[in-house]
Amino acid sequence: MVSSAAKVVPASRCERPAPAPLWTRNFVAGTFLNFFIAGNYFMLMVVMTAYALTVHQAPAAVAAFCASAFIVGTLFSRFAAAPMMERFGRMPLLVAGCIAEVALSALYLLNEPVGALIGVRLAHGFSYGVCSTTIATVITSVVPPERKGEGIGYFMLSITLGSAIGPFAGIFLANNFGYPVVFAVASVLVALAIPAALLLRPASSTKVKGSEAAAEAEVEAAADAVAGAVTDAPAEEGREDAAANRDEVLAESLHAAASTRVPSTHLEEKVAAKVEHSPLARFVEAGVLPISVVCGLLFFGYSSLLTFLTPYATEIGLARAASVFFVVYALAMFVTRPFTGRAFDRVGPHPVMVPAFVSFALGMVVLAFAANDWMILGAAALLGFGVGTVQSCGLAMAVRVTSDARLSVANATFYMLLDVGVGVGPILLGIVAPLIGYANLYLCMAVVGALALALFLVVAKTEKGAR
């Protein structure tokens, strides 16, 4: 007669383990924190040039630098963020960065001279870069590996919302209440990031994964477990087998702990081999450089929207549609990112990212030939899907096989290349635009999107097989 216990065992073995939770307190708090700092960034970015022109009577070039100095500070922070995380720890650095963001946002209320304003913008950009890199590192370490695409897609929606709400709020407040109100609201918004940071409690295991401490812990655990097997072995043969197993387990543990990243493609292996033993290894995660370059190239094209959309739309008489361009752009990101993230986890990068690159190129073509409001808004939807998907899935590709010990460097490397694309774009395109016109410029950005797609196909050639 079969006992009831015997009946239960097979049933329990047939049960599939429940999927790892995504919407944990850490994930929610980190996503809100990222929204608060992104909203502050975009709210101030859209008004800073006009503020310098109207309040300080600064020359146009100086006024423009008052805005772009923020990006310069952010770029420097990408080099410093990873070493600072290693020295001070992720959470202390994140809390300190959020406090610095509040203090620097409040300094705008002092109506400081232009020189001091540029200095504040540089420092503010640096603090934002540290915060954004650190919170991205924390989130990518707590998202379950099998849900990286989905989790990062939801997380990046915080930037999407910030890029939609921030500019709208900044322009509305500046036009109706004045710049001091803009600065006060921006300060209050980013102050909410401090309690969000204090709510974060990353698991202790995510703090040492891939580090020497983890290696030693694995070795000790393996040694203790196998030592017990040796003690319990009744015969000499059993002791020899157990000892052999111990050596094998120790070797595997040391090898696993020593490796910081498993390259996904042959190109990553080549790049990693050249960089991993150079001084750059402290600041750059070599394996994520290929996909970071691809995304940075696309963001070079994206910078043309930030810089020239308003004068282009005014030139062709479609300024009304351009005023809500980024709202539609953000809505397209918001709607598509959850689906693209899940698809990325299920089928890999190619079926998701290739359509996104095509959508970006097509959006630029539609924008170049825009003849009515609907074409402007249609281009916004296509570009929102393209940029949003490439950014979130590109980051997922960069971090999903990165050890936790190198996540800070991987995130810094990825965002560094995005910053370079957005920062260099206005300078180079500002030289080209007067020569060829805005419409032809956007056709050229469609070509840039096609080049980014071609480069992606080279970079991710073996990604599917590696998975």
Side-chain angles (χ1 to χ4, degrees):
M1 185 174 180
V2 181
S3 66
S4 59
K7 293 180 181 178
V8 173
V9 173
S12 63
R13 290 177 179 173
C14 293
E15 292 178 359
R16 294 183 178 180
L22 176 61
W23 294 98
T24 61
R25 181 178 73 171
N26 288 324
F27 185 81
V28 173
T31 301
F32 271 103
L33 187 154
N34 206 45
F35 165 71
F36 296 142
I37 63 175
N40 171 275
Y41 157 48
F42 285 106
M43 186 184 299
L44 296 175
M45 180 65 76
V46 296
V47 303
M48 197 53 60
T49 300
Y51 169 69
L53 285 170
T54 58
V55 175
H56 294 285
Q57 303 297 311
V62 176
F65 187 67
C66 287
S68 60
F70 188 96
I71 302 297
V72 176
T74 303
L75 183 59
F76 278 109
S77 75
R78 304 303 186 192
F79 290 96
M84 291 173 71
M85 276 185 259
E86 292 176 8
R87 179 169 183 177
F88 302 109
R90 295 173 187 174
M91 298 314 303
L93 182 63
L94 182 60
V95 173
C98 291
I99 294 172
E101 285 249 33
V102 177
L104 290 165
S105 297
L107 284 179
Y108 297 117
L109 291 165
L110 299 180
N111 197 25
E112 62 269 16
V114 171
L117 177 63
I118 292 174
V120 171
R121 293 294 288 165
L122 287 168
H124 195 179
F126 187 90
S127 66
Y128 170 78
V130 169
C131 286
S132 60
T133 304
T134 305
I135 190 58
T137 302
V138 171
I139 292 299
T140 50
S141 70
V142 301
V143 171
E146 68 276 12
R147 303 183 72 177
K148 284 290 186 191
E150 180 186 4
I152 292 176
Y154 282 121
F155 171 70
M156 298 297 279
L157 285 177
S158 58
I159 298 179
T160 302
L161 290 175
S163 67
I165 296 174
F168 176 79
I171 294 172
F172 175 81
L173 293 173
N175 291 340
N176 292 278
F177 301 100
Y179 293 109
V181 174
V182 176
F183 301 146
V185 172
S187 300
V188 171
L189 178 64
V190 80
L192 296 174
I194 297 175
L198 296 175
L199 285 173
L200 287 166
R201 295 288 188 277
S204 57
S205 60
T206 65
K207 300 175 183 177
V208 296
K209 179 182 175 184
S211 65
E212 293 181 4
E216 293 174 2
E218 286 187 38
V219 170
E220 291 177 3
D224 290 342
V226 178
V230 173
T231 303
D232 293 337
E236 183 65 23
E237 182 179 354
R239 286 193 291 271
E240 291 176 355
D241 290 342
N245 289 337
R246 174 187 177 182
D247 293 338
E248 182 179 352
V249 171
L250 291 177
E252 290 177 356
S253 298
L254 286 170
H255 177 74
S259 86
T260 57
R261 188 177 197 275
V262 181
S264 296
T265 69
H266 296 315
L267 182 60
E268 287 185 9
E269 292 175 358
K270 293 179 180 179
V271 174
K274 292 182 178 296
V275 178
E276 65 180 353
H277 298 300
S278 73
L280 285 175
R282 181 173 174 81
F283 306 100
V284 175
E285 178 67 4
V288 309
L289 278 173
I291 188 61
S292 301
V293 169
V294 171
C295 295
L297 180 60
L298 196 81
F299 267 67
F300 173 83
Y302 164 73
S303 71
S304 66
L305 300 175
L306 297 176
T307 310
F308 303 113
L309 178 66
T310 299
Y312 171 59
T314 302
E315 180 182 275
I316 61 177
L318 298 176
R320 183 182 62 177
S323 66
V324 294
F325 178 93
F326 284 103
V327 175
V328 176
Y329 172 91
L331 284 174
M333 284 188 181
F334 189 81
V335 171
T336 59
R337 265 184 175 169
F339 301 103
T340 56
R342 293 194 193 100
F344 177 90
D345 290 330
R346 288 197 304 268
V347 299
H350 287 81
V352 179
M353 295 184 71
V354 169
F357 284 107
V358 173
S359 181
F360 177 88
L362 183 59
M364 287 295 183
V365 172
V366 172
L367 187 61
F369 290 103
N372 54 57
D373 291 351
W374 291 109
M375 293 184 73
I376 290 284
L377 300 182
L382 289 168
L383 290 163
F385 166 67
V387 175
T389 300
V390 169
Q391 182 185 25
S392 60
C393 293
L395 179 59
M397 285 183 66
V399 304
R400 68 179 179 177
V401 288
T402 301
S403 72
D404 193 73
R406 296 287 292 178
L407 270 180
S408 58
V409 184
N411 277 282
T413 302
F414 183 81
Y415 283 110
M416 187 191 309
L417 268 296
L418 264 58
D419 291 339
V420 169
V422 174
V424 171
I427 299 173
L428 297 181
L429 298 179
I431 299 173
V432 175
L435 303 176
I436 63 176
Y438 295 124
N440 289 328
L441 177 70
Y442 285 120
L443 286 176
C444 291
M445 294 305 98
V447 176
V448 169
L451 290 175
L453 171 58
L455 185 58
F456 167 76
L457 294 176
V458 173
V459 166
K461 182 171 57 176
T462 60
E463 170 74 13
K464 187 174 182 181
R467 292 179 72 245

